Amino acid sequence: MRLRLPLRVLSLLLLAALPSFAEDAHNTLTDAEKAAGWQLLFDGSSLKGWHAIGATDAAGTGWSAKDGELRLRLPQPGGEKTAHKDLLTDADFSDFELTWEWNIAAGGNSGVKYNLPDKTKAVGCEYQMIDDDKHPDAKVPGGSHKTAALYDILPPTDAKVKPAGEWNQSRILVKGNHVEQYLNGGKTAEFDFGSDALKELIAKSKFKSTKGWGEKIASPILLQDHGNEVTFRDIKLRPSTP
């Protein structure tokens, strides 16, 4: 006798038998990525390769590695409560392609910084990550504080941002003096270090008196602790040729 199962039941059984590729794929590199020179900046289980600003490791901060995610959590609920310990890579990078996924809490604010003129200070080019709907900083006129902006310099274009609580994918490309920022596949900012156009924008920004801001330099990658909860995963980088 042939056993006939309803199509829906059969589909559920087949799905249950499949491996969870989506979960297993996080914080890993394919053979093709390895051959192309990609490296993981976050291994999915530890803070190896990272340290808090002004320290040699990440001890005493709100950062942790858990369930394949690099998390910043508040020690108590209710806003700006952390010790404001930004996290930096141990290594410096100059020309690179950087990709990562991130999830910001409702009303949250964070960012990824690069090209820091002073490694002891959390000041540099910032890829803004913020809840555009609920955080007041995103409402600053001109749009240069919105998600995927070059913070306080360039407002984002083609910013296909997903709302707080959902995963976004971001990318930064630094090649020679040319820089591009992306969000969920769309280019949001583009500029050149040392250009007259960038110098004019810097002169109108909060960085106008910051020595070396906007000049090309090798520096760590920085994850910002702005006192709000944020989660990262799949942080990958490969050196690029100028």
Side-chain angles (χ1 to χ4, degrees):
M1 183 177 67
R2 183 177 298 174
L3 180 63
R4 294 181 180 274
L5 294 174
L7 181 59
R8 185 174 183 276
V9 174
L10 183 59
S11 298
L12 290 173
L13 289 172
L14 289 172
L15 286 172
L18 292 174
S20 180
F21 291 112
E23 292 183 5
D24 293 343
H26 292 307
N27 310 305
T28 61
L29 294 174
T30 65
D31 290 340
E33 287 175 323
K34 293 176 183 177
W38 286 94
Q39 56 185 281
L40 287 174
L41 296 187
F42 171 55
D43 63 17
S45 60
S46 75
L47 297 181
K48 182 180 179 181
W50 296 86
H51 63 276
I53 192 164
T56 57
D57 56 30
T61 71
W63 297 95
S64 65
K66 187 175 181 180
D67 299 328
E69 298 174 348
L70 178 54
R71 301 173 177 175
L72 174 64
R73 293 294 182 261
L74 302 180
Q76 53 184 303
E80 311 276 338
K81 301 290 186 180
T82 73
H84 292 284
K85 293 290 187 179
D86 299 309
L87 206 60
L88 292 86
T89 56
D90 293 344
D92 291 347
F93 303 98
S94 179
D95 294 275
F96 60 87
E97 182 176 3
L98 174 70
T99 65
W100 72 98
E101 293 186 3
W102 57 277
N103 188 325
I104 195 80
N109 187 353
S110 184
V112 171
K113 299 185 183 183
Y114 57 100
N115 207 77
L116 313 179
D118 184 342
K119 300 177 188 179
T120 68
K121 298 178 181 179
V123 179
C125 296
E126 179 180 348
Y127 183 112
Q128 173 78 315
M129 295 157 43
I130 194 169
D131 182 349
D132 286 340
D133 293 330
K134 294 184 179 180
H135 198 290
D137 197 40
K139 312 301 182 183
V140 170
S144 65
H145 291 195
K146 288 184 174 293
T147 293
L150 176 62
Y151 178 75
D152 209 55
I153 299 291
L154 284 171
T157 59
D158 194 26
K160 302 170 182 176
V161 61
K162 296 180 181 179
E166 295 187 19
W167 287 98
N168 287 273
Q169 186 178 60
S170 295
R171 174 175 173 250
I172 296 171
L173 176 64
V174 181
K175 195 168 185 177
N177 286 328
H178 188 69
V179 183
E180 297 175 3
Q181 295 187 172
Y182 293 80
L183 174 67
N184 296 322
K187 186 189 293 185
T188 63
E190 186 173 11
F191 63 95
D192 291 284
F193 290 125
S195 68
D196 290 339
L198 183 62
K199 290 177 182 178
E200 289 178 10
L201 291 170
I202 295 171
K204 300 174 184 177
S205 77
K206 62 173 60 178
F207 307 115
K208 60 186 177 183
S209 299
T210 304
K211 184 179 179 180
W213 202 101
E215 298 175 10
K216 179 72 177 292
I217 190 172
S219 85
I221 304 297
L222 182 150
L223 308 184
Q224 185 185 41
D225 175 356
H226 202 281
N228 304 126
E229 295 188 354
V230 63
T231 307
F232 294 83
R233 69 185 182 194
D234 296 336
I235 310 174
K236 305 176 183 182
L237 180 145
R238 67 171 171 178
S240 61
T241 303

